[in-house]
Coordinates of all heavy atoms in Angstrom, one line a residue:
M20 N 30.5 12.7 -45.3 CA 29.0 12.6 -45.2 C 28.6 11.3 -44.8 O 27.8 11.1 -43.9 CB 28.4 13.0 -46.5 CG 26.9 13.3 -46.4 SD 26.5 14.6 -45.2 CE 24.7 14.3 -45.1
S21 N 29.1 10.2 -45.4 CA 28.7 8.9 -45.1 C 29.1 8.5 -43.7 O 28.4 7.7 -43.0 CB 29.3 7.9 -46.1 OG 30.7 7.9 -46.0
K22 N 30.2 9.1 -43.2 CA 30.7 8.9 -41.9 C 29.7 9.4 -40.8 O 29.3 8.8 -39.8 CB 32.0 9.6 -41.6 CG 33.0 8.8 -40.8 CD 34.3 9.5 -40.7 CE 35.4 8.5 -40.3 NZ 36.7 9.1 -40.3
L23 N 29.1 10.6 -41.2 CA 28.1 11.2 -40.3 C 26.9 10.4 -40.2 O 26.3 10.1 -39.1 CB 27.8 12.6 -40.9 CG 27.0 13.5 -39.9 CD1 27.9 14.0 -38.8 CD2 26.4 14.7 -40.7
L24 N 26.5 9.8 -41.4 CA 25.3 9.0 -41.4 C 25.6 7.7 -40.5 O 24.7 7.2 -39.8 CB 24.9 8.6 -42.8 CG 24.1 9.6 -43.6 CD1 24.0 9.2 -45.0 CD2 22.7 9.8 -43.0
F25 N 26.8 7.2 -40.7 CA 27.1 6.0 -39.9 C 27.0 6.2 -38.4 O 26.4 5.4 -37.7 CB 28.6 5.6 -40.3 CG 29.1 4.5 -39.4 CD1 28.8 3.2 -39.6 CD2 30.1 4.8 -38.4 CE1 29.3 2.2 -38.8 CE2 30.6 3.8 -37.6 CZ 30.2 2.5 -37.8
W26 N 27.5 7.4 -37.9 CA 27.4 7.7 -36.5 C 26.0 7.9 -36.1 O 25.6 7.5 -35.0 CB 28.4 8.8 -36.1 CG 29.8 8.4 -36.0 CD1 30.8 8.7 -36.9 CD2 30.3 7.5 -35.1 NE1 32.0 8.0 -36.5 CE2 31.7 7.3 -35.4 CE3 29.8 6.8 -34.0 CZ2 32.5 6.5 -34.6 CZ3 30.6 6.0 -33.2 CH2 32.0 5.8 -33.5
A27 N 25.3 8.6 -36.9 CA 23.9 8.9 -36.6 C 23.1 7.5 -36.5 O 22.3 7.4 -35.5 CB 23.2 9.7 -37.7
G28 N 23.4 6.6 -37.4 CA 22.8 5.3 -37.3 C 23.2 4.6 -36.0 O 22.3 4.0 -35.3
I29 N 24.4 4.6 -35.6 CA 24.9 4.0 -34.4 C 24.2 4.6 -33.2 O 23.7 3.8 -32.3 CB 26.4 4.2 -34.2 CG1 27.2 3.5 -35.3 CG2 26.9 3.8 -32.8 CD1 27.3 2.0 -35.0
I30 N 24.0 5.9 -33.1 CA 23.4 6.5 -32.0 C 21.9 6.1 -31.9 O 21.3 5.9 -30.9 CB 23.6 8.1 -32.1 CG1 25.0 8.4 -31.8 CG2 22.6 8.8 -31.1 CD1 25.4 9.8 -32.2
L31 N 21.3 6.1 -33.1 CA 19.9 5.8 -33.2 C 19.7 4.3 -32.7 O 18.8 4.1 -31.9 CB 19.4 5.9 -34.7 CG 17.9 5.9 -34.8 CD1 17.3 7.2 -34.4 CD2 17.5 5.7 -36.3
V32 N 20.5 3.4 -33.1 CA 20.4 2.0 -32.7 C 20.6 1.9 -31.2 O 19.9 1.2 -30.4 CB 21.4 1.1 -33.4 CG1 21.5 -0.2 -32.7 CG2 21.0 1.0 -34.9
A33 N 21.6 2.7 -30.6 CA 21.9 2.7 -29.2 C 20.6 3.2 -28.4 O 20.3 2.6 -27.4 CB 23.1 3.6 -28.9
L34 N 20.0 4.2 -28.9 CA 18.8 4.8 -28.3 C 17.7 3.8 -28.2 O 17.0 3.6 -27.2 CB 18.4 6.1 -29.0 CG 19.2 7.3 -28.6 CD1 18.7 8.5 -29.5 CD2 19.0 7.7 -27.2
I35 N 17.5 3.1 -29.4 CA 16.4 2.1 -29.5 C 16.7 0.9 -28.5 O 15.8 0.5 -27.7 CB 16.3 1.6 -30.9 CG1 15.7 2.7 -31.8 CG2 15.4 0.4 -31.0 CD1 15.8 2.5 -33.3
V36 N 17.9 0.5 -28.5 CA 18.3 -0.6 -27.6 C 18.1 -0.2 -26.1 O 17.5 -1.0 -25.3 CB 19.7 -1.1 -27.8 CG1 20.2 -2.0 -26.7 CG2 19.8 -1.8 -29.2
M37 N 18.5 1.0 -25.8 CA 18.4 1.5 -24.4 C 16.9 1.6 -24.0 O 16.5 1.2 -22.9 CB 19.0 2.8 -24.2 CG 20.5 2.7 -23.8 SD 21.5 4.2 -24.1 CE 20.6 5.4 -23.1
R38 N 16.1 2.0 -25.0 CA 14.6 2.1 -24.6 C 14.0 0.8 -24.4 O 13.2 0.6 -23.5 CB 13.9 2.9 -25.8 CG 12.5 3.3 -25.4 CD 11.9 4.1 -26.4 NE 12.5 5.5 -26.6 CZ 12.1 6.4 -27.4 NH1 11.0 6.2 -28.2 NH2 12.7 7.6 -27.5
L39 N 14.4 -0.2 -25.3 CA 13.9 -1.5 -25.2 C 14.3 -2.2 -23.8 O 13.5 -2.8 -23.1 CB 14.4 -2.4 -26.3 CG 13.7 -2.2 -27.7 CD1 14.3 -3.1 -28.7 CD2 12.2 -2.6 -27.6
L40 N 15.5 -2.0 -23.4 CA 16.0 -2.5 -22.2 C 15.3 -1.9 -21.0 O 14.9 -2.5 -20.1 CB 17.5 -2.2 -22.0 CG 18.4 -3.2 -22.8 CD1 19.9 -2.8 -22.7 CD2 18.3 -4.6 -22.4
A41 N 15.0 -0.6 -21.1 CA 14.3 0.1 -20.0 C 12.9 -0.4 -19.9 O 12.4 -0.6 -18.8 CB 14.3 1.6 -20.3
R42 N 12.3 -0.6 -21.0 CA 10.9 -1.1 -21.0 C 10.9 -2.5 -20.4 O 10.0 -2.9 -19.7 CB 10.3 -1.1 -22.4 CG 8.8 -1.2 -22.4 CD 8.2 -1.2 -23.8 NE 8.6 0.1 -24.5 CZ 8.3 0.2 -25.8 NH1 7.8 -0.7 -26.5 NH2 8.6 1.4 -26.4
H43 N 11.9 -3.3 -20.8 CA 11.9 -4.7 -20.3 C 12.0 -4.7 -18.8 O 11.3 -5.5 -18.1 CB 13.1 -5.4 -21.0 CG 13.2 -6.9 -20.7 ND1 12.3 -7.8 -21.2 CD2 14.0 -7.6 -19.9 CE1 12.6 -9.0 -20.8 NE2 13.6 -8.9 -19.9
S44 N 13.0 -3.9 -18.3 CA 13.2 -4.0 -16.8 C 12.0 -3.4 -16.1 O 11.6 -3.8 -15.0 CB 14.4 -3.2 -16.5 OG 14.2 -1.8 -16.6
A45 N 11.3 -2.4 -16.7 CA 10.1 -1.8 -16.1 C 9.0 -2.9 -16.0 O 8.3 -3.0 -15.0 CB 9.6 -0.6 -16.9
A46 N 8.9 -3.6 -17.1 CA 7.8 -4.7 -17.1 C 8.1 -5.7 -16.0 O 7.2 -6.2 -15.4 CB 7.8 -5.3 -18.5
R47 N 9.4 -6.1 -15.9 CA 9.7 -7.0 -14.9 C 9.4 -6.5 -13.5 O 9.0 -7.2 -12.6 CB 11.2 -7.4 -15.0 CG 11.5 -8.8 -14.4 CD 13.0 -9.0 -14.3 NE 13.6 -9.1 -15.7 CZ 15.0 -9.1 -15.8 NH1 15.8 -9.0 -14.8 NH2 15.5 -9.2 -17.0
H48 N 9.7 -5.2 -13.3 CA 9.4 -4.5 -12.0 C 8.0 -4.6 -11.7 O 7.6 -4.9 -10.6 CB 9.9 -3.1 -12.1 CG 10.9 -2.7 -11.1 ND1 12.2 -3.0 -11.2 CD2 10.7 -2.0 -9.9 CE1 12.8 -2.5 -10.1 NE2 12.0 -1.9 -9.4
R49 N 7.1 -4.3 -12.7 CA 5.7 -4.2 -12.5 C 5.2 -5.6 -12.1 O 4.3 -5.8 -11.3 CB 5.0 -3.8 -13.8 CG 3.9 -2.8 -13.5 CD 3.3 -2.2 -14.8 NE 4.3 -1.5 -15.6 CZ 4.5 -1.5 -16.9 NH1 3.7 -2.3 -17.6 NH2 5.4 -0.8 -17.5
R50 N 5.8 -6.7 -12.8 CA 5.3 -8.0 -12.5 C 5.7 -8.4 -11.0 O 4.9 -9.0 -10.4 CB 5.9 -9.0 -13.5 CG 5.0 -10.1 -13.8 CD 5.6 -11.0 -14.9 NE 6.0 -10.3 -16.1 CZ 7.1 -10.5 -16.8 NH1 7.9 -11.5 -16.4 NH2 7.4 -9.8 -17.9
A51 N 6.8 -7.9 -10.6 CA 7.3 -8.2 -9.2 C 6.4 -7.5 -8.2 O 6.0 -8.1 -7.2 CB 8.7 -7.8 -9.0
R52 N 6.0 -6.3 -8.6 CA 5.1 -5.6 -7.7 C 3.7 -6.1 -7.6 O 3.0 -5.9 -6.7 CB 5.1 -4.1 -8.1 CG 5.3 -3.2 -6.9 CD 5.2 -1.7 -7.3 NE 6.3 -1.4 -8.3 CZ 6.2 -0.5 -9.3 NH1 5.1 0.2 -9.4 NH2 7.2 -0.3 -10.1
A53 N 3.3 -6.9 -8.7 CA 1.9 -7.4 -8.8 C 1.7 -8.5 -7.9 O 0.6 -8.9 -7.6 CB 1.6 -7.8 -10.2
T54 N 2.8 -9.1 -7.4 CA 2.6 -10.2 -6.4 C 1.8 -9.7 -5.2 O 2.2 -8.7 -4.6 CB 3.9 -10.9 -6.0 OG1 4.8 -9.8 -5.7 CG2 4.5 -11.8 -7.1
P55 N 0.8 -10.4 -4.8 CA -0.1 -9.9 -3.8 C 0.5 -9.8 -2.4 O 1.0 -10.7 -1.9 CB -1.3 -10.8 -3.8 CG -0.7 -12.1 -4.3 CD 0.4 -11.8 -5.2
R56 N 0.5 -8.6 -1.9 CA 0.7 -8.4 -0.5 C -0.2 -7.3 -0.1 O 0.2 -6.2 0.3 CB 2.2 -8.0 -0.2 CG 2.5 -8.2 1.2 CD 3.8 -7.5 1.6 NE 4.9 -8.4 1.6 CZ 6.2 -8.1 2.0 NH1 6.4 -6.9 2.3 NH2 7.1 -8.9 1.9
R57 N -1.5 -7.6 -0.3 CA -2.5 -6.6 -0.1 C -2.8 -6.4 1.4 O -2.8 -7.4 2.2 CB -3.8 -7.0 -0.8 CG -3.8 -6.4 -2.2 CD -5.1 -6.8 -2.9 NE -4.8 -7.8 -3.9 CZ -5.6 -8.9 -4.2 NH1 -6.6 -9.1 -3.5 NH2 -5.2 -9.7 -5.1
P58 N -3.1 -5.2 1.9 CA -3.5 -5.1 3.3 C -4.9 -5.7 3.5 O -5.7 -5.8 2.5 CB -3.5 -3.6 3.5 CG -3.7 -3.0 2.1 CD -3.0 -4.0 1.2
V59 N -5.1 -6.1 4.7 CA -6.4 -6.7 5.0 C -7.5 -5.6 4.9 O -7.4 -4.6 5.5 CB -6.4 -7.3 6.4 CG1 -7.8 -8.0 6.7 CG2 -5.3 -8.3 6.5
P60 N -8.5 -5.9 4.1 CA -9.6 -4.9 4.0 C -10.3 -4.7 5.4 O -10.3 -5.6 6.2 CB -10.6 -5.5 3.1 CG -9.9 -6.6 2.3 CD -8.8 -7.0 3.2
K61 N -10.8 -3.5 5.6 CA -11.3 -3.1 6.9 C -12.4 -4.1 7.3 O -12.5 -4.4 8.5 CB -11.9 -1.7 6.8 CG -10.9 -0.6 7.0 CD -10.9 -0.1 8.4 CE -9.6 0.6 8.8 NZ -9.5 2.0 8.3
R62 N -13.3 -4.5 6.4 CA -14.4 -5.3 6.8 C -14.0 -6.7 7.1 O -14.8 -7.5 7.7 CB -15.5 -5.3 5.7 CG -15.1 -5.9 4.4 CD -16.1 -5.5 3.3 NE -15.4 -5.2 2.1 CZ -15.0 -6.1 1.2 NH1 -15.3 -7.4 1.4 NH2 -14.4 -5.7 0.1
M63 N -12.7 -7.1 6.8 CA -12.3 -8.4 7.1 C -11.7 -8.5 8.5 O -11.4 -9.5 9.1 CB -11.2 -8.9 6.1 CG -11.8 -9.2 4.7 SD -13.1 -10.4 4.7 CE -12.0 -11.9 4.9
Q64 N -11.4 -7.3 9.1 CA -10.8 -7.2 10.4 C -11.9 -7.6 11.4 O -13.1 -7.5 11.2 CB -10.3 -5.8 10.7 CG -9.1 -5.5 9.9 CD -8.6 -4.1 10.2 OE1 -9.0 -3.5 11.1 NE2 -7.7 -3.6 9.3
S65 N -11.4 -8.0 12.6 CA -12.3 -8.3 13.7 C -12.9 -7.0 14.2 O -12.2 -6.1 14.4 CB -11.6 -9.1 14.8 OG -10.5 -8.4 15.3
M66 N -14.2 -7.1 14.5 CA -14.9 -5.9 15.0 C -14.8 -6.0 16.6 O -15.0 -7.1 17.1 CB -16.3 -5.9 14.5 CG -16.4 -5.7 13.0 SD -15.8 -4.2 12.4 CE -17.3 -3.1 12.7
V67 N -14.7 -4.9 17.2 CA -14.7 -4.9 18.7 C -15.8 -3.8 19.1 O -16.2 -3.0 18.3 CB -13.3 -4.5 19.3 CG1 -12.3 -5.5 19.0 CG2 -12.9 -3.1 18.8
Q68 N -16.2 -3.9 20.3 CA -17.2 -3.0 20.8 C -16.6 -2.1 21.9 O -15.8 -2.5 22.7 CB -18.3 -3.9 21.5 CG -19.6 -3.1 21.7 CD -20.7 -4.0 22.3 OE1 -20.4 -5.1 22.8 NE2 -21.9 -3.5 22.2
C69 N -17.0 -0.8 21.8 CA -16.7 0.1 22.8 C -17.3 -0.3 24.1 O -18.5 -0.5 24.2 CB -17.1 1.5 22.4 SG -16.8 2.8 23.7
A70 N -16.5 -0.3 25.2 CA -17.0 -0.7 26.5 C -17.9 0.4 27.1 O -18.6 0.1 28.1 CB -15.9 -1.1 27.4
H71 N -17.9 1.6 26.6 CA -18.7 2.7 27.1 C -20.0 2.8 26.4 O -21.1 2.8 27.1 CB -17.9 4.0 27.0 CG -18.6 5.1 27.7 ND1 -18.6 5.4 29.0 CD2 -19.3 6.1 27.1 CE1 -19.3 6.4 29.3 NE2 -19.8 6.9 28.1
C72 N -20.0 3.0 25.1 CA -21.2 3.3 24.4 C -21.7 2.1 23.5 O -22.8 2.1 23.0 CB -21.0 4.5 23.5 SG -19.9 4.2 22.1
G73 N -20.9 1.1 23.4 CA -21.3 -0.1 22.7 C -21.2 0.0 21.2 O -21.6 -0.9 20.5
L74 N -20.5 1.0 20.7 CA -20.2 1.1 19.3 C -19.3 0.0 18.8 O -18.3 -0.3 19.5 CB -19.6 2.5 19.0 CG -19.4 2.9 17.6 CD1 -20.7 3.5 17.0 CD2 -18.3 3.9 17.4
H75 N -19.7 -0.5 17.6 CA -18.8 -1.5 17.0 C -17.9 -0.8 16.0 O -18.3 0.1 15.3 CB -19.6 -2.5 16.3 CG -20.3 -3.5 17.2 ND1 -21.5 -3.3 17.7 CD2 -19.9 -4.7 17.7 CE1 -21.9 -4.3 18.5 NE2 -20.9 -5.2 18.5
L76 N -16.6 -1.2 16.1 CA -15.6 -0.6 15.2 C -14.5 -1.6 15.0 O -14.3 -2.5 15.8 CB -15.0 0.7 15.8 CG -14.2 0.7 17.1 CD1 -13.4 2.0 17.2 CD2 -15.1 0.6 18.3
P77 N -13.7 -1.4 13.9 CA -12.6 -2.3 13.6 C -11.6 -2.3 14.7 O -11.3 -1.2 15.3 CB -12.0 -1.8 12.3 CG -13.1 -0.9 11.7 CD -13.9 -0.4 12.8
S78 N -11.0 -3.4 15.0 CA -10.0 -3.5 16.1 C -8.9 -2.6 15.9 O -8.4 -2.0 16.9 CB -9.5 -5.0 16.1 OG -8.6 -5.1 17.2
S79 N -8.4 -2.3 14.7 CA -7.3 -1.4 14.4 C -7.6 0.0 14.7 O -6.7 0.8 15.0 CB -6.8 -1.6 13.0 OG -7.8 -1.2 12.1
D80 N -8.9 0.4 14.7 CA -9.3 1.8 14.9 C -9.6 2.0 16.4 O -9.8 3.1 16.9 CB -10.6 2.1 14.1 CG -10.2 2.2 12.6 OD1 -9.0 2.3 12.3 OD2 -11.2 2.3 11.8
A81 N -9.8 0.9 17.2 CA -10.2 1.0 18.5 C -9.0 1.4 19.4 O -7.9 1.1 19.1 CB -10.8 -0.3 19.0
I82 N -9.3 1.9 20.6 CA -8.3 2.2 21.6 C -8.3 1.0 22.6 O -9.4 0.7 23.1 CB -8.6 3.5 22.3 CG1 -8.3 4.6 21.3 CG2 -7.7 3.7 23.5 CD1 -9.1 5.9 21.5
H83 N -7.2 0.4 22.8 CA -7.1 -0.7 23.7 C -6.5 -0.3 25.0 O -5.4 0.2 25.1 CB -6.3 -1.9 23.1 CG -6.8 -2.4 21.8 ND1 -7.6 -3.5 21.7 CD2 -6.7 -1.9 20.5 CE1 -8.0 -3.7 20.5 NE2 -7.5 -2.7 19.7
R84 N -7.2 -0.4 26.1 CA -6.7 0.0 27.4 C -7.5 -0.7 28.5 O -8.7 -1.0 28.4 CB -7.0 1.5 27.6 CG -6.1 2.1 28.7 CD -6.7 3.5 29.1 NE -6.2 4.6 28.2 CZ -6.6 5.8 28.4 NH1 -7.4 6.2 29.4 NH2 -6.2 6.8 27.6
D85 N -6.7 -1.1 29.5 CA -7.3 -1.8 30.7 C -8.0 -3.1 30.2 O -9.0 -3.5 30.8 CB -8.3 -0.9 31.4 CG -7.7 0.4 31.9 OD1 -6.4 0.4 32.1 OD2 -8.4 1.4 31.9
G86 N -7.5 -3.7 29.2 CA -8.0 -5.0 28.7 C -9.4 -4.8 28.1 O -10.1 -5.8 27.8
R87 N -9.8 -3.6 27.8 CA -11.0 -3.4 27.1 C -10.8 -2.6 25.8 O -9.7 -2.0 25.6 CB -12.0 -2.6 28.0 CG -12.3 -3.3 29.3 CD -13.8 -3.4 29.4 NE -14.1 -4.2 30.7 CZ -15.1 -3.8 31.5 NH1 -15.8 -2.7 31.2 NH2 -15.4 -4.5 32.5
T88 N -11.8 -2.4 25.0 CA -11.7 -1.6 23.8 C -12.7 -0.5 23.8 O -13.8 -0.6 24.4 CB -12.0 -2.5 22.5 OG1 -13.2 -3.2 22.8 CG2 -10.9 -3.5 22.3
W89 N -12.2 0.6 23.3 CA -13.0 1.9 23.3 C -13.0 2.5 22.0 O -12.0 2.4 21.2 CB -12.4 2.8 24.4 CG -11.9 2.2 25.6 CD1 -10.7 1.6 25.9 CD2 -12.7 2.1 26.8 NE1 -10.7 1.1 27.1 CE2 -11.9 1.4 27.8 CE3 -14.0 2.5 27.2 CZ2 -12.4 1.1 29.0 CZ3 -14.4 2.2 28.5 CH2 -13.6 1.5 29.4
C90 N -14.0 3.3 21.7 CA -14.1 4.0 20.4 C -13.3 5.2 20.4 O -13.0 5.7 19.3 CB -15.6 4.2 20.0 SG -16.4 5.5 21.1
S91 N -13.1 5.8 21.5 CA -12.4 7.1 21.6 C -11.7 7.2 22.9 O -12.0 6.5 23.9 CB -13.4 8.3 21.4 OG -14.3 8.2 22.4
Q92 N -10.7 8.2 23.0 CA -10.0 8.5 24.2 C -11.0 8.9 25.3 O -10.8 8.6 26.5 CB -9.0 9.6 24.0 CG -7.8 9.2 23.1 CD -6.8 8.3 23.9 OE1 -6.9 8.0 25.1 NE2 -5.9 7.8 23.1
E93 N -12.0 9.7 24.9 CA -13.0 10.2 25.9 C -13.7 9.0 26.6 O -13.8 9.0 27.8 CB -14.0 11.1 25.2 CG -13.5 12.4 24.8 CD -12.7 12.4 23.5 OE1 -13.0 11.6 22.6 OE2 -11.6 13.1 23.5
H94 N -14.1 8.0 25.8 CA -14.8 6.9 26.4 C -13.9 6.0 27.2 O -14.3 5.4 28.2 CB -15.5 6.1 25.3 CG -16.8 6.8 24.8 ND1 -17.6 6.3 23.9 CD2 -17.3 8.0 25.2 CE1 -18.6 7.1 23.7 NE2 -18.4 8.2 24.4
A95 N -12.6 6.0 26.8 CA -11.6 5.2 27.6 C -11.5 5.9 29.0 O -11.3 5.2 30.0 CB -10.3 5.2 26.9
K96 N -11.5 7.2 29.0 CA -11.4 7.9 30.3 C -12.7 7.8 31.1 O -12.7 7.7 32.3 CB -11.1 9.4 30.0 CG -9.6 9.7 29.9 CD -9.4 11.2 29.7 CE -8.2 11.5 28.8 NZ -8.3 12.7 28.0
A97 N -13.8 7.8 30.4 CA -15.1 7.8 31.0 C -15.3 6.5 31.7 O -16.0 6.4 32.7 CB -16.2 8.1 30.0
G98 N -14.7 5.4 31.2 CA -14.8 4.1 31.8 C -16.0 3.3 31.2 O -16.7 3.8 30.4
A99 N -16.1 2.1 31.7 CA -17.0 1.1 31.2 C -18.4 1.4 31.7 O -18.6 1.7 32.8 CB -16.6 -0.3 31.5
R100 N -19.4 1.3 30.8 CA -20.8 1.3 31.1 C -21.5 0.0 30.8 O -22.5 -0.3 31.3 CB -21.5 2.5 30.4 CG -21.5 3.7 31.2 CD -22.5 4.7 30.6 NE -23.0 4.4 29.3 CZ -23.8 5.2 28.6 NH1 -24.1 6.4 29.0 NH2 -24.2 4.8 27.4
I101 N -20.8 -0.7 29.8 CA -21.4 -2.0 29.3 C -20.5 -3.1 29.9 O -19.3 -3.1 29.7 CB -21.4 -2.0 27.8 CG1 -22.4 -0.9 27.3 CG2 -21.8 -3.4 27.3 CD1 -22.3 -0.6 25.9
S102 N -21.1 -4.1 30.5 CA -20.3 -5.2 31.0 C -19.9 -6.1 29.8 O -20.7 -6.2 28.9 CB -21.1 -6.0 32.0 OG -22.4 -6.3 31.5
P103 N -18.7 -6.6 29.8 CA -18.2 -7.4 28.7 C -19.0 -8.6 28.4 O -19.5 -9.2 29.3 CB -16.8 -7.7 29.0 CG -16.6 -7.5 30.5 CD -17.7 -6.5 30.9
Ligands
LIG30 ZN1 -17.7 4.7 22.8

């Protein structure tokens, strides 16, 4: 009987140690992930103007073609109406 209790205690301690180690490594992981590598917010990006309709939009959302920027494929095809 005492042998059974001994092994039960060993297993219990092993489980507790494993859980503590897992939590420790998870916390380290979280801290590593917390280091900032945030994407640039939309409003911090440079704004460009559609050469057709004059709409202002973020540079990443615009279509770049023929050295101009457009709000949509349709306006890129339609061509420029506004001089740069
Ligand atoms: Zn447009």
Side-chain angles (χ1 to χ4, degrees):
M20 190 59 194
S21 65
K22 216 173 201 179
L23 193 71
L24 277 174
F25 172 76
W26 281 111
I29 293 284
I30 288 164
L31 197 71
V32 167
L34 282 173
I35 288 165
V36 167
M37 267 160 64
R38 192 174 293 183
L39 281 175
L40 283 175
R42 198 181 298 170
H43 186 74
S44 73
R47 206 189 291 169
H48 238 77
R49 221 173 298 138
R50 217 175 303 142
R52 226 180 301 149
T54 43
R56 197 194 265 183
R57 270 180 252 142
V59 182
K61 275 262 161 79
R62 63 194 138 84
M63 292 298 285
Q64 290 178 13
S65 61
M66 298 294 278
V67 295
Q68 192 177 18
C69 175
H71 182 81
C72 67
L74 185 84
H75 285 88
L76 67 162
S78 180
S79 62
D80 290 349
I82 290 150
H83 299 265
R84 198 197 278 180
D85 304 329
R87 301 237 177 136
T88 49
W89 317 86
C90 68
S91 60
Q92 291 285 355
E93 285 77 39
H94 284 182
K96 271 182 214 148
R100 266 192 354 185
I101 295 165
S102 49

